[in-house]
Amino acid sequence: MNQQILEGKLGVLLPIQAQIGFGTTITHPHGVVIHPKAKIGKKCKIRQFTTIGTSKSSAPFDAIPEIGDNVFIGSNANIFGNITIGSNSVIGGGAVVTKSFPENSKLVGNPAKNLNKINVKSKIFAHRGAKSFAPENTLSAFKKAVESGADGIELDVHLSQDGFIVVMHDENVDRTTNGKGEIKELSLAEIKKLDAGSWFDEKFKDEKVPTLEEVLETLHELKFTGELNVELKTDKNNYEGIEEKVSGLLRSVKWTFTYIYSSFSFSSLEKMHSVEPSAEYAYIMENDTEKMLQAEKTPFISGIHPNVSWFLKNAEIIEKSTKKFRVWRTEDDQTLFKLFKENPEGIFTNDTKKAIELKKRM
């Protein structure tokens, strides 16, 4: 094998139909990717962060690696698809194995698991809509999220200068439109003149920045029956009266979907709760355990939305908690597999199609 590839910073990539001979040892600190149709001989050793097979539904039906008898596969491996693993193989701690787990093979270490024995209940939320396939936080992105079969949809809200509830992630329009300026300093009429799609792809050039009312009506018309997560973007700007406006709109109709309010701002959640005490609330956090503890002792907060890195490092704290955890920043296959093992209440992802497909394979 080419020594330069072995020493590369991105790890080892073994191509399709690779032949890995009897007794070969492959190890690399950045991981190994073994493509479909590869044949792994007897008594091989493959260590650390290996991905074997493919998570893509478009892969050929016969693109199935064959793994020989008595193979050792190291820790934190991902093994998925209808793969044949020879008898008496050993699969290291932290591995994820789906389907075709053979008799007499072993899962060793903690927390190695065979996901055939796990009922993955985590709900898949489309983060800012299906933002991998359409410009984020637009009607097109929300429509595609519904089409993908997402369990939930997440969006962000601000107030325009004239008091309309605008759906956008950033506090300004610079990144996701052809305009410039703070949302709080622009009227709705000015915002509606902007192109909110061309930055993503020219085919979305007529896309407009939606209001929350437009999004709710669209989801209702599409008969979306999942959960809508409305994030109040009040951690940087104090939008006077946004809590009353958002709550009034959500309570004005019996929608086909349920909804959750979330925010990085604890004070905004308190205001919202005083307006609508019967709603469900979640506190968003990066890596701040203090915020988690604050949420834990606040009865009206039922959910905590942490960064995935914090979630995966704090299993003991989470196990003791009575709150619902919905995790964000979760794009690569390995992270999704780890989360499926832990079964949080929800997973926010930019690519709902991939997440749903991986979940189905569990």
Side-chain angles (χ1 to χ4, degrees):
M1 185 171 291
N2 190 319
Q3 191 66 23
Q4 288 181 332
I5 295 177
L6 288 174
E7 293 175 354
K9 292 183 179 180
L10 296 179
V12 181
L13 180 65
L14 299 181
I16 193 166
Q17 295 184 323
Q19 300 283 335
I20 304 171
F22 178 92
T24 301
T25 296
I26 303 172
T27 183
H28 194 282
H30 300 290
V32 181
V33 176
I34 300 176
H35 277 206
K37 289 191 175 180
K39 294 184 183 295
I40 303 172
K42 296 181 179 181
K43 296 188 177 180
C44 293
K45 293 185 178 181
I46 303 166
R47 302 181 184 273
Q48 295 291 8
F49 302 108
T50 300
T51 296
I52 302 175
T54 179
S55 63
K56 296 180 180 178
S57 58
S58 60
F61 181 75
D62 60 345
I64 302 171
E66 297 176 12
I67 303 175
D69 297 346
N70 301 300
V71 173
F72 173 86
I73 299 173
S75 61
N76 298 299
N78 289 332
I79 305 173
F80 44 85
N82 294 307
I83 292 171
T84 301
I85 304 175
S87 61
N88 301 310
S89 295
V90 176
I91 301 171
V96 177
V97 182
T98 70
K99 299 183 180 178
S100 301
F101 190 70
E103 188 177 359
N104 296 323
S105 287
K106 302 173 184 176
L107 283 172
V108 299
N110 184 15
K113 295 178 181 177
N114 179 354
L115 289 189
N116 280 319
K117 300 177 182 177
I118 296 177
N119 180 15
V120 181
K121 297 180 180 179
S122 300
K123 296 174 183 176
I124 305 299
F125 280 76
H127 183 228
R128 305 178 207 168
K131 62 174 288 197
S132 290
F133 306 98
E136 65 181 60
N137 275 327
T138 62
L139 293 182
S140 290
F142 299 129
K143 289 175 183 176
K144 286 185 180 294
V146 175
E147 290 170 6
S148 75
D151 303 303
I153 294 173
E154 185 268 354
L155 56 76
D156 313 276
V157 295
H158 304 260
L159 282 188
S160 66
Q161 185 185 51
D162 46 353
F164 286 89
I165 307 167
V166 175
V167 177
M168 187 175 287
H169 178 267
D170 300 357
E171 283 70 26
N172 60 61
V173 300
D174 300 19
R175 181 176 63 86
T176 56
T177 77
N178 62 341
K180 290 189 179 298
E182 296 285 315
I183 294 172
K184 66 181 181 180
E185 296 173 356
L186 297 170
S187 68
L188 181 62
E190 291 173 314
I191 293 170
K192 282 295 186 181
K193 291 177 182 177
L194 302 176
D195 172 359
S198 292
W199 68 273
F200 184 86
D201 191 296
E202 274 299 314
K203 68 182 180 182
F204 294 103
K205 66 180 180 179
D206 296 324
E207 198 76 41
K208 299 299 180 184
V209 177
T211 62
L212 179 60
E213 185 173 10
E214 289 170 334
V215 176
L216 298 179
E217 289 174 349
T218 298
L219 296 179
H220 193 69
E221 289 169 3
L222 292 172
K223 295 181 171 55
F224 174 60
T225 57
E227 291 182 290
L228 178 66
N229 188 114
V230 179
E231 180 180 340
L232 303 168
K233 299 295 287 186
T234 47
D235 49 314
K236 294 181 181 178
N237 290 329
N238 179 24
Y239 296 111
E240 189 65 36
I242 190 172
E243 292 85 7
E244 290 83 358
K245 287 177 181 288
V246 171
S247 176
L249 186 55
L250 265 299
R251 288 188 292 171
S252 65
V253 174
K254 185 172 178 57
W255 306 104
T256 57
F257 49 86
T258 58
Y259 58 89
I260 309 161
Y261 296 125
S262 67
S263 183
F264 280 97
S265 169
F266 187 80
S267 63
S268 191
L269 292 176
E270 286 184 312
K271 289 178 187 176
M272 198 76 185
H273 178 252
S274 69
V275 174
E276 191 177 348
S278 61
E280 187 171 352
Y281 295 92
Y283 198 17
I284 311 173
M285 54 175 279
E286 281 266 7
N287 297 298
D288 188 350
T289 301
E290 288 302 314
K291 291 184 76 171
M292 182 271 177
L293 296 175
Q294 184 179 20
E296 193 66 41
K297 64 184 181 183
T298 305
F300 77 83
I301 292 180
S302 61
I304 299 172
H305 295 179
N307 180 305
V308 65
S309 63
W310 183 92
F311 180 82
L312 292 174
K313 292 175 183 175
N314 289 277
E316 289 186 12
I317 295 175
I318 293 163
E319 190 174 347
K320 296 176 183 177
S321 175
T322 59
K323 306 297 184 182
K324 298 176 182 178
F325 285 84
R326 303 179 186 90
V327 187
W328 52 278
R329 201 171 284 161
T330 57
E331 299 317 308
D332 63 277
D333 290 5
Q334 189 166 7
T335 300
L336 285 168
F337 274 119
K338 288 179 181 178
L339 288 173
F340 287 145
K341 288 197 295 181
E342 301 303 327
N343 252 331
E345 173 72 15
I347 298 172
F348 296 103
T349 178
N350 297 337
D351 190 342
T352 50
K353 288 176 70 175
K354 178 176 77 171
I356 290 168
E357 179 61 30
L358 290 176
K359 181 180 174 181
K360 286 178 180 177
R361 290 170 180 260
M362 295 297 97

